[in-house]
Amino acid sequence: MDLVTEIYLSTQNFPKEETYGLISQIRRSAISVPSNIAEGCGRKTNKDFSNFLGMALGSAFELETQLTICKNLNFLKNDEFENLENEINHIQNMIIKLQSSL
């Protein structure tokens, strides 16, 4: 959930014309990661939980791709992008390990 906060703060200074484009998509992808994990936790079987972890992982990769686009468009500074990318990679690895443990 800390990543979601960082994403919201990072996208505040994006161009206003991206409000309904990249900003909206990036924020929805970021929110989807912890939301799918939380929903999966509430399921009764490990198979269901694993499916939701898979969706969370997909959203994390989607988020990483969108942030790369933002870096290429100079909406994000390189150091800001690298910090976010490192955090996303860490989350991706945690999801993969949790999913494989089920």
Side-chain angles (χ1 to χ4, degrees), residues 2-12 14 21-31 33 58-89 91-92:
D2 291 339
L3 176 62
V4 174
T5 303
E6 289 179 43
I7 291 296
Y8 266 76
L9 294 173
S10 294
T11 57
Q12 282 179 342
F14 279 22
L22 275 172
I23 295 171
S24 176
Q25 188 64 39
I26 288 167
R27 289 177 174 181
R28 283 182 286 148
S29 295
I31 290 168
V33 176
S59 293
F61 280 104
E62 180 181 358
L63 176 59
E64 184 178 17
T65 300
Q66 293 159 351
L67 292 177
T68 301
I69 292 167
C70 291
K71 181 190 69 128
N72 292 344
L73 293 171
N74 295 317
F75 295 166
L76 285 172
K77 296 176 185 172
N78 283 336
D79 61 330
E80 187 175 18
F81 169 77
E82 287 176 15
N83 289 337
L84 290 169
E85 184 180 40
N86 288 337
E87 189 168 348
I88 292 167
N89 290 335
I91 290 168
Q92 290 166 337

